[in-house]
Amino acid sequence: MKSMSEYDFELNKICKIINEKKYRKIMVQIPEGLKIYHEKIVSTIENGTDAVVILSGEPCYGACDINEGDADFLVHFGHSMITEPGIPYFFAECRSNIDVLKVVEKSEGYLEKNVGVLTTVQHINKIGEIKDILEKKGKNVFVGKGGKRIRYPGQVLGCDFSSALSIMDKVDCYLYVGTGNFHPLGVSIATKKKVIAADPYSNEISGLEGLKEKILRQRYAAIEKAKQGERFGIVVGGKTGQKRLGTAEKLKEMLEKNGKNAHLISLNEIKPEYLLYLNYDCFVCTACPRIAIDDYSMYEKPVLTPVEIEILLGKRRFEDYVFDQIE
Amino acid sequence: MKSMSEYDFELNKICKIINEKKYRKIMVQIPEGLKIYHEKIVSTIENGTDAVVILSGEPCYGACDINEGDADFLVHFGHSMITEPGIPYFFAECRSNIDVLKVVEKSEGYLEKNVGVLTTVQHINKIGEIKDILEKKGKNVFVGKGGKRIRYPGQVLGCDFSSALSIMDKVDCYLYVGTGNFHPLGVSIATKKKVIAADPYSNEISGLEGLKEKILRQRYAAIEKAKQGERFGIVVGGKTGQKRLGTAEKLKEMLEKNGKNAHLISLNEIKPEYLLYLNYDCFVCTACPRIAIDDYSMYEKPVLTPVEIEILLGKRRFEDYVFDQIE
């Protein structure tokens, strides 16, 4: 298990702000990967202040998911801000102090000459170090600036690959430093370039080609299955940064013009059991783009992304497949 | 399966209001028992108006659970209003047209002389008829007025037995007309009187004694198990009519005064998988009172009601056990 000391939770700073501003009700959001530390986090804030802490119990996968409740201060751990909350807030981005040197050096042999560097907010302070290591090895290194949902150059989200796309013309390949496959996979599909993932925890280097082919086959199958469908349920997310009602309404219109029935469904948490009793042949998810992909095998009916509906209706070729992104 | 024509969904009236007021985005909430009709409901409103309908996809168990989303009009089916929504609304209470005569006549032999009559909003228009039938059989019939969350005399909710309590001194027993055990069970435990349940769908009459004993044993066991606990997670509901932050804070203080640790946890939907990774020995649910009781076997750790914490801390005797109610 990772240790709590590996991350900077900034608890002293948080207590100081709460005491100075005399906040009384603190909502605390912790992403799933760090939730094991919830007791220590809540206790430290309660012991260091006069405030009552309310831990947000629902799973939290990103800064798109803001739960203010009835608190007067929000502390959101593990993500950088995307949209400003409606109450005073602090985003504790939880930088990791794990060493990236070793795995980046190890990645060298897999990389081309011109490399785009990408990582998550946990390692974003290591971007300079990563760049230096690679440049010393003779690489040309590029760090792209992302769109408005991206806080730091080189940062990538599971639903936003803009920092990779912005340097697409300059690089032959990308190096993603971090854990998990989804981010580099999205970059691979979005850019059609080689992507190498370097995991500083396991010290493993991996290519994405095999997984990419597997996921694309699954997506193709889901689209084909959905083509038989007559009735489409379009899911609209309820979370602050996942609401795309406009997209949902456009999809509804597009489907109806093509002779399909389409209804809108609002959901905060999207779960198989909520869709099970809704009588549609296929669902389209306009909330978190990862649900359709990551949870593929959990759903009985096909769940498509908005991009995939374009393919289904013949408005986009499968060869031009990209992951859904929130803009 | 029950047929849609058995209930009055008031769809013509709803379309008329939407057209007159020119509402554009309609949020529709349908309780689980009526959700099978969702397609027909959504289509009828969309075909009868120029509005877009958004179906609320999360389960809905009461009028405590109001989802306004970004709609300009809310249509909530199957429940009577408890608290006024923040946007214009229509509560379609979905009266059932099923005959109650037969089952009420059948119940006569099980009843004492002085009978309190109770039912849900689906059959509330039959209260007069039920009263007449029983009076013709020589009973003294009482219909109690409920508290401020209760819209009709004789109406009972799964979390509000006030209409039963208000006539407690006058009656020897209660007749509950409707489906399900929870309402009559709550009345039985709250009033300590005999309660007879008459189900107009199955035409069955049942007493509650056996179930009451079983549930009380379960609750006793849950409280005993929780007594070993040191760390308590107090769940605060996020839904409009289920928020009891004040109660939660009082419980926290009470537990801490008694040497326990207690943290507050906010949740909209309360699900076993959300509590599974929270490191508490016991949970207290201040949201929907039914969760602790109905979902007893789904939770690994004991989930108690606020009343049960009083028993755990020796502030109330188990003999004075009552179901938790929202006031």
Side-chain angles (χ1 to χ4, degrees), chain A residues 2 7 9 30-38 41 77-78 93-94 122:
Chain A
K2 297 172 190 176
Y7 297 97
F9 286 94
I30 310 175
E32 295 317 280
L34 299 173
K35 216 164 217 164
I36 42 167
Y37 308 121
H38 69 90
I41 292 171
F77 288 93
E93 295 173 353
C94 297
Q122 264 69 58

Side-chain angles (χ1 to χ4, degrees), chain A residues 45-65:
Chain A
I45 301 178
E46 289 203 328
N47 294 336
T49 69
D50 293 328
V52 170
V53 172
I54 304 162
L55 173 68
S56 182
E58 260 105 14
C60 176
Y61 296 108
C64 51
D65 180 4

Side-chain angles (χ1 to χ4, degrees), chain B residues 1-18:
Chain B
M1 198 197 284
K2 297 171 190 177
S3 128
M4 190 161 174
S5 64
E6 188 184 302
Y7 297 97
D8 184 5
F9 286 93
E10 303 183 72
L11 293 171
N12 286 339
K13 190 170 173 186
I14 291 164
C15 289
K16 201 163 164 258
I17 296 171
I18 293 169

Side-chain angles (χ1 to χ4, degrees), chain B residues 65-274:
Chain B
D65 180 4
I66 291 298
N67 180 10
E68 294 154 7
D70 299 307
D72 54 9
F73 189 56
L74 169 69
V75 185
H76 187 113
F77 288 93
H79 305 123
S80 60
M81 187 171 77
I82 294 178
T83 44
E84 197 156 3
I87 57 170
Y89 56 84
F90 185 81
F91 283 79
E93 295 173 353
C94 297
R95 298 273 186 277
S96 163
N97 58 19
I98 198 167
D99 187 29
V100 296
L101 175 76
K102 216 167 127 191
V103 81
V104 172
E105 285 191 328
K106 193 176 167 187
S107 72
E108 186 217 338
Y110 301 87
L111 302 172
E112 312 294 321
K113 180 74 179 169
N114 299 304
V115 185
V117 171
L118 301 166
T119 187
T120 64
V121 74
Q122 264 69 59
H123 310 290
I124 202 74
N125 52 333
K126 304 285 174 71
I127 278 275
E129 190 185 333
I130 297 167
K131 195 166 182 278
D132 287 350
I133 300 167
L134 294 176
E135 282 175 347
K136 274 182 195 146
K137 305 272 183 190
K139 306 291 182 193
N140 297 325
V141 181
F142 299 87
V143 178
K145 204 176 161 301
K148 64 181 194 302
R149 300 171 76 245
I150 296 292
R151 205 154 173 81
Y152 303 99
Q155 185 190 1
V156 66
L157 303 179
C159 55
D160 193 319
F161 315 113
S162 54
S163 61
L165 289 165
S166 71
I167 49 173
M168 210 166 90
D169 298 339
K170 296 177 189 158
V171 306
D172 311 313
C173 74
Y174 292 93
L175 173 67
Y176 166 78
V177 179
T179 40
N181 283 321
F182 196 91
H183 299 66
L185 183 64
V187 173
S188 160
I189 292 175
T191 64
K192 317 255 190 263
K193 304 248 175 179
K194 176 174 170 181
V195 180
I196 295 298
D199 184 336
Y201 297 97
S202 66
N203 204 33
E204 273 174 22
I205 307 291
S206 50
L208 273 299
E209 281 308 307
L211 182 62
K212 178 176 149 185
E213 292 313 315
K214 181 186 159 195
I215 296 286
L216 286 176
R217 275 197 304 273
Q218 284 178 352
R219 301 324 302 160
Y220 189 84
I223 297 167
E224 284 300 307
K225 198 173 165 195
K227 275 185 186 165
Q228 322 297 323
E230 288 305 319
R231 295 163 308 173
F232 287 69
I234 304 170
V235 175
V236 185
K239 295 179 179 175
T240 326
Q242 295 185 7
K243 259 181 218 171
R244 289 189 284 176
L245 185 55
T247 303
E249 289 190 83
K250 266 181 218 153
L251 286 168
K252 180 173 156 69
E253 204 186 311
M254 207 195 286
L255 284 161
E256 285 171 348
K257 268 190 189 155
N258 283 271
K260 310 282 191 185
N261 290 317
H263 288 169
L264 304 185
I265 303 155
S266 99
L267 276 169
N268 280 304
E269 296 293 327
I270 297 150
K271 293 181 159 284
E273 68 259 37
Y274 296 161

Side-chain angles (χ1 to χ4, degrees), chain A residues 221-237:
Chain A
I223 297 167
E224 284 301 306
K225 198 174 166 197
K227 275 185 185 165
Q228 322 296 324
E230 288 305 318
R231 295 163 308 173
F232 287 68
I234 303 170
V235 175
V236 185

